[in-house]
Amino acid sequence: MELNTIINGDSVEELKKLSNSSVDLIFAAPPYNMQLENTLYRPNNTKVNGVNDEWDKFTSFSEYDNFCMAWLKECRRILKDTDTIWVIGSYHNIFRV
């Protein structure tokens, strides 16, 4: 793999293609699992817009949790022992990740 490469594809499948302990840094922005059935407000009372795109649709929290475990497991495998993973999210999902 070339240095400084952005890989576009199914995250778990793409991660599986990488060698063990081969990555210095992972910056991840996983799906937020934000298909909203009701109105949701932030602590400052601003309305949250849900996500209706296919890549962010999960049938249950269990499915979302399993997805997160799968990509995090692969990230751990490919990260070098002394390197870092950064994960961003919203207060809706980051505690699950």
Side-chain angles (χ1 to χ4, degrees):
M1 177 174 62
E2 294 181 37
L3 291 177
N4 305 317
T5 301
I6 296 173
I7 301 169
N8 186 14
D10 179 282
S11 59
V12 176
E13 294 306 313
E14 294 299 327
L15 287 166
K16 287 180 179 181
K17 296 175 185 176
L18 301 177
S19 301
N20 292 350
S21 303
S22 63
V23 173
D24 296 309
L25 173 73
I26 296 173
F27 184 91
Y32 289 2
N33 192 27
M34 289 196 46
Q35 304 86 51
L36 303 177
E37 294 179 17
N38 300 310
T39 303
L40 180 64
Y41 293 93
R42 295 178 186 90
N44 67 358
N45 285 330
T46 58
K47 185 178 176 185
V48 174
N49 293 323
V51 178
N52 294 314
D53 298 327
E54 287 300 317
W55 55 265
D56 194 54
K57 290 185 179 177
F58 296 88
T59 59
S60 66
F61 286 126
S62 178
E63 181 186 9
Y64 182 70
D65 293 344
N66 290 337
F67 166 76
C68 288
M69 289 298 295
W71 72 261
L72 284 166
K73 178 181 173 185
E74 288 301 316
C75 287
R76 177 66 188 115
R77 181 186 62 76
I78 66 170
L79 271 174
K80 295 177 182 175
D81 290 340
T82 58
D83 292 311
T84 303
I85 181 171
W86 289 76
V87 181
I88 63 170
S90 76
Y91 64 90
H92 306 95
N93 77 315
I94 200 65
F95 71 95
R96 299 195 79 85
V97 175

